[in-house]
Amino acid sequence: KIFIESVCTDATLLEENIRTVKVRTPDYKSMDSEVAFNDFNQRRANYASVYESLQDDEGSYLQVFNSKKFVVHNMRGYLPLKVVHFVMNLHTLPRTFYLTRHGQSEYNLLGKIGGDSGLSPNGIEYAKRLAHYAETVIGRVETKDEKTGETTCIKMKPARLWTSTLRRTKETAQFIQKNNSFEAKWDNGDCVDWVQFRPMARRNLDELYAGMCD
């Protein structure tokens, strides 16, 4: 038996999490966001008035404080430590994943399966358009004026770039502008030097074994 306790005393982190996640739950559907925010804060106050924190004599537990500090008590063995590793890498805010196939390859053009061919001219064109989309949509966030709808601020949005180890996928990502650095903020409020679209080729993203055709 393993207990997991999350304690958050950071007011900024709490407000961001409530406004981003909690007020969008079914409980607050069609409710004004400020009313929902205040209601959830009242819920928290009610819970806090009767809540008791974990004690050492209660067995194995993992405590998380403000998504920064982790206390591991009496945790041993393969699976319990896997749970610890998983919890330590959780995100408190949502992430967006963009998936794309590679551009048309030379083997696609010839009707061949498998192999490790490069891109056809159409595939190269797709790669260029993908790079434009990555720069203008995936890698930045725009703030608009609620009344006029005009863009008031454009900021870089942290993004990673993963491909398989195959030539056609790397060539599909070749025009995406990489390695620009800027300061980004983690979910817990820590600031880090972020390398935008830092490429990483992963073998487990390769195509399934194509037998004789490979």
Side-chain angles (χ1 to χ4, degrees):
K1 182 169 62 173
I2 300 172
F3 293 101
I4 299 176
E5 179 180 25
S6 179
V7 179
C8 187
T9 57
D10 185 322
T12 301
L13 187 61
L14 274 171
E15 180 172 351
E16 187 174 10
N17 183 263
I18 293 171
R19 293 190 183 279
T20 305
V21 180
K22 301 302 183 183
V23 299
R24 298 181 181 181
T25 61
D27 286 356
Y28 298 115
K29 186 178 181 180
S30 303
M31 184 181 293
D32 179 79
S33 59
E34 284 303 315
V35 175
F37 176 77
N38 292 331
D39 180 80
F40 191 83
N41 268 328
Q42 185 59 52
R43 284 193 190 186
R44 287 187 59 256
N46 293 337
Y47 296 151
S49 66
V50 296
Y51 184 78
E52 294 182 7
S53 186
L54 288 168
Q55 303 299 318
D56 288 353
D57 60 0
E58 295 185 80
S60 301
Y61 65 75
L62 168 63
Q63 289 177 312
V64 184
F65 296 91
N66 294 320
S67 297
K68 294 182 179 182
K69 178 182 176 181
F70 299 84
V71 176
V72 181
H73 175 73
N74 197 29
M75 300 274 277
R76 296 181 178 84
Y78 177 78
L79 286 178
L81 292 179
K82 280 292 185 180
V83 172
V84 172
H85 183 266
F86 175 76
V87 173
M88 292 179 73
N89 286 279
L90 286 175
H91 299 295
T92 58
L93 297 177
R95 300 293 198 271
T96 301
F97 286 81
Y98 293 86
L99 304 177
T100 178
R101 280 184 55 81
H102 59 78
Q104 183 188 56
S105 71
E106 294 169 347
Y107 275 15
N108 288 152
L109 201 58
L110 297 173
K112 293 183 177 181
I113 299 175
D116 194 17
S117 65
L119 297 182
S120 69
N122 284 339
I124 294 293
E125 178 62 25
Y126 176 80
K128 292 178 179 178
R129 297 189 185 194
L130 177 64
H132 176 73
Y133 184 83
E135 179 182 354
T136 59
V137 177
I138 299 175
R140 72 179 187 181
V141 59
E142 297 183 356
T143 303
K144 295 183 180 293
D145 186 280
E146 293 183 0
K147 295 182 178 179
T148 65
E150 295 181 356
T151 300
T152 58
C153 181
I154 298 176
K155 293 182 179 180
M156 297 283 283
K157 182 168 63 175
R160 286 284 187 246
L161 174 62
W162 291 358
T163 70
S164 75
T165 63
L166 299 176
R167 178 182 169 190
R168 55 186 176 270
T169 65
K170 292 180 179 179
E171 290 187 3
T172 300
Q174 65 183 304
F175 299 110
I176 296 176
Q177 191 172 4
K178 309 172 184 69
N179 300 326
N180 287 332
S181 298
F182 62 96
E183 188 178 80
K185 184 183 290 186
W186 289 128
D187 296 0
N188 61 12
D190 289 346
C191 292
V192 296
D193 290 326
W194 184 266
V195 180
Q196 187 74 326
F197 290 119
R198 184 174 65 188
M200 180 178 291
R202 292 180 170 271
R203 181 72 176 84
N204 55 351
L205 293 179
D206 287 0
E207 193 170 49
L208 294 177
Y209 178 59
M212 293 175 60
C213 298
D214 224 4

